[in-house]
Amino acid sequence: MIKFFLMVNKQGQTRLSRYYEHVEINKRTMLEAEVIKNCLSRSKDQCSFIEYKDFKLVYRQYAALFVVVGIDQTENEMAVYELIHNFVEVLDKYFSRVSELDVSFSVSEIRL
């Protein structure tokens, strides 16, 4: 099951976040900071799956944006990795080459 969905830029700023389980606001900021730090600190040669606390992180980088999905231990990482790619392809079609600005200013239009 998907726990959360994040879109983050290279500077570590969250551009889009969606939680599918209740997480308090102050814990969200701490969680996002730790998740972002873990994903951004990895090299391109490393795997895009990370074991983190009681769940897994699946991430993918597209230009200056990182898409990070938190999933439980039973979820298939490759399926989520493909889901991220399909999501970005849909955004590309909708925005005609999606960019960080599109995501930042159009969050209300994106329904996850």
Side-chain angles (χ1 to χ4, degrees):
M1 182 170 104
I2 295 177
K3 294 180 178 247
F4 60 85
F5 188 96
L6 301 173
M7 290 185 86
V8 180
N9 67 10
K10 282 187 177 180
Q11 289 75 35
Q13 299 167 321
T14 302
R15 295 300 183 195
L16 174 72
S17 66
R18 174 74 175 162
Y19 289 84
Y20 298 98
E21 291 182 347
H22 175 71
V23 179
E24 294 177 18
I25 297 296
N26 58 349
K27 290 185 180 179
R28 282 184 187 188
T29 55
M30 289 178 17
L31 174 69
E32 287 177 21
E34 291 174 15
V35 165
I36 292 166
K37 186 179 85 172
N38 280 333
C39 293
L40 293 180
S41 66
R42 296 173 65 89
S43 72
K44 290 184 179 182
D45 298 331
Q46 290 181 299
C47 180
S48 295
F49 311 139
I50 305 171
E51 295 277 338
Y52 179 75
K53 294 189 179 181
D54 63 337
F55 53 90
K56 299 176 194 174
L57 301 174
V58 179
Y59 71 94
R60 213 163 169 169
Q61 181 180 0
Y62 293 93
L65 285 176
F66 284 81
V67 180
V68 183
V69 180
I71 58 174
D72 63 15
Q73 297 293 337
T74 61
E75 192 68 49
N76 183 336
E77 296 97 342
M78 287 303 293
V80 174
Y81 193 72
E82 226 11 71
L83 172 77
I84 293 170
H85 183 69
N86 288 336
F87 178 71
V88 172
E89 281 186 350
V90 168
L91 289 179
D92 250 359
K93 295 278 189 213
Y94 184 79
F95 288 111
S96 302
R97 302 280 304 152
V98 69
S99 70
E100 183 179 344
L101 290 174
D102 295 326
V103 173
S104 297
F105 295 116
S106 302
V107 171
S108 61
E109 293 180 28
I110 299 173
R111 302 282 183 232
L112 298 176

